[in-house]
Amino acid sequence: MKSEWKKDTFIKYIDLIGGGTPKTSVAEYWNGSIPWLSVKDFNNDNRYVYTTEKHISEQGLLNSSTKLLQKDDIIISARGTVGELAMIPFPMAFNQSCYGVRAKDGLNKSFLYYLLKNKIKELKKITHGSVFDTITRETFSNIVVDIPDYQTQCAIASILGGLDDKIELNNKINDNLEHQAQVMFAHIRQKFEDAPERCELVSLSDLMDYAGGSQPPASEFVSEKREGYVRFVQIRDYESNAHITYIPISKKNKLCQEDDIMIARYGASLGRICFGLNGAYNVALAKFFPRKSYYREFLRCYLSSKEFFEGINNKGGRSAQAGFNQSDIKSFELLFPKDDHYIADFENCASPLFNMRLYNLKENKKLQELRDTLLPKLMSGEIDVEDVKI
C-alpha cells in the first residue's frame, strides 16, 4: 500500500486562509453573534472548538480582512504559540494570529486534520520570525507529506476519528454528570435556606484546609519516567498530555491523588477546580483537605460553583499576581446543617457521579495514548489500515 502513496509539499494539498481584525475599533462590532476565534479558544487535545470568548457582528466582519471558516475547515495558531489545532463545526471568523486550512479536492477533510496533527512538531521546528515564532505559507511549502489514495485517507480518518468520537462522548457524559451533581447540590442548599433553624453560618475554613505545592528547580525536570522520579503536576497537565514532566522523589514534594480536589491558585486559571492526576503538584496548585471525608463531594460542588469561582477571583485578583490566601478562604461563609448526616447522605449520592467522571477521564487518557501511538504509524504507512481493529 505504501507504494501507492504520493509525496509532495504540504502547500499543494491545501488552501491557506489568513485571519484579520476589524479595520477600525468600534465597540458595536463585538456585540454580534458570529464566533471570533483566537488561540486561547482551542488546544490540541480537543478536535473541535465550539465556543469562543468573543463574537463579532456582520458589520464588523465586513470591516475586517478575515473570511469565515466553514464546517470542517481547520484552524491553526500561526504566531507566538504556534501549532494549536482544531476543526471548525460551524462558520467562524478568526483573528490574525491564526490560519484557516482548507483541503483541496482529493483530500479528505478529517484526514487533513490528522495529517496536520502529525506534522505539528515539524511545523514548529521551521517557523519564521525574529520576534515571534510564525507559521507562514513558506512553512507549508517546506514540509513534504505522503498522501495515500482517497479510500485509505477515509479509513485512517475513520480509525482515529472513532477514538476521538469516544473521547468526545465521554466528555459530554462527564458534563452531564457534573450538571446532575450541581442540581443535587443546589437542591440541598435550598433545603438549608428553607430551614435556617437547622443550620448555622460557617466559614469555608471550618469545613476544609488547603496546602500549596512545591517548586523544584527546572534543572531537575525530565520528560521521561525514571526510577526514583514522580510525575510533576501543573495546571496545564489537566488539559493536555503534551508537556508531561517528572521530578525526583523528595520529602519536599507535595503529593496529590486522582480523586483529590485541586485548585489553580494563580493567573488566568485562578479558581479552576481540577482532578484526575497522581503526582507531585507545583506551587500554582493547591490541594483541599475536607475536615471530614464525607464532606468531599459537597465541597467539590461548592468549589466548582459560580458563586465560589467569582468570589475567589474577586479576592485573588486584587494583586498583580492573582492568587488567594488563608484569610480569603476564611472569608467565605455558607449555611451548613448542624446535623451533618445530610452531608453524608449527599456524599452517598454524589460520590458515584464523581467516580463515573473519574472513570471516563481515565479512559480518555488511554484512548488519547492509543490515538497518539497510532497516528504517526498510520500516517507513515507503517501500519496498514486493514490491520487495525478497534
Side-chain angles (χ1 to χ4, degrees), residues 112-280:
L112 173 58
Y113 168 76
Y114 291 109
L115 182 64
L116 272 167
K117 193 175 181 70
N118 189 50
K119 290 290 184 178
I120 290 299
K121 289 182 180 179
E122 190 174 343
L123 279 166
K124 289 181 177 181
K125 286 180 180 178
I126 57 173
T127 53
H128 304 78
S130 58
V131 179
F132 297 104
D133 287 338
T134 305
I135 292 176
T136 66
R137 179 174 293 274
E138 183 181 353
T139 309
F140 288 95
S141 298
N142 289 333
I143 292 181
V144 174
V145 292
D146 288 337
I147 305 295
D149 61 83
Y150 193 78
Q151 183 178 357
T152 303
Q153 293 176 34
C154 294
I156 291 174
S158 177
I159 292 167
L160 299 172
L163 294 170
D164 273 328
D165 286 342
K166 176 56 176 169
I167 291 169
E168 289 162 13
L169 176 60
N170 283 346
N171 287 335
K172 289 179 181 178
I173 291 172
N174 275 2
D175 288 343
N176 180 268
L177 291 168
E178 183 176 10
H179 176 70
Q180 289 182 51
Q182 286 294 339
V183 169
M184 291 167 52
F185 178 69
H187 179 69
I188 194 173
R189 291 195 78 192
Q190 186 60 53
K191 281 189 173 182
F192 300 163
E193 295 283 350
D194 293 341
E197 71 281 358
R198 298 180 183 176
C199 302
E200 57 187 341
L201 198 62
V202 301
S203 166
L204 184 57
S205 61
D206 293 329
L207 305 180
M208 50 156 257
D209 201 353
Y210 78 93
S214 60
Q215 192 71 31
S219 59
E220 295 184 356
F221 295 2
V222 297
S223 58
E224 295 182 357
K225 183 68 187 299
R226 298 178 183 175
E227 186 71 26
Y229 278 69
V230 64
R231 180 163 182 183
F232 189 47
V233 178
Q234 304 175 73
I235 295 171
R236 65 186 181 184
D237 295 329
Y238 289 99
E239 283 288 340
S240 168
N241 286 326
H243 306 283
I244 294 179
T245 304
Y246 299 91
I247 59 173
I249 294 173
S250 168
K251 292 181 180 179
K252 296 179 181 179
N253 294 342
K254 300 294 182 65
L255 302 178
C256 62
Q257 302 298 320
E258 59 191 14
D259 59 349
D260 283 333
I261 305 172
M262 308 299 296
I263 184 171
R265 294 187 67 187
Y266 303 116
S269 298
L270 174 63
R272 179 184 164 198
I273 303 301
C274 308
F275 69 92
L277 294 177
N278 298 319

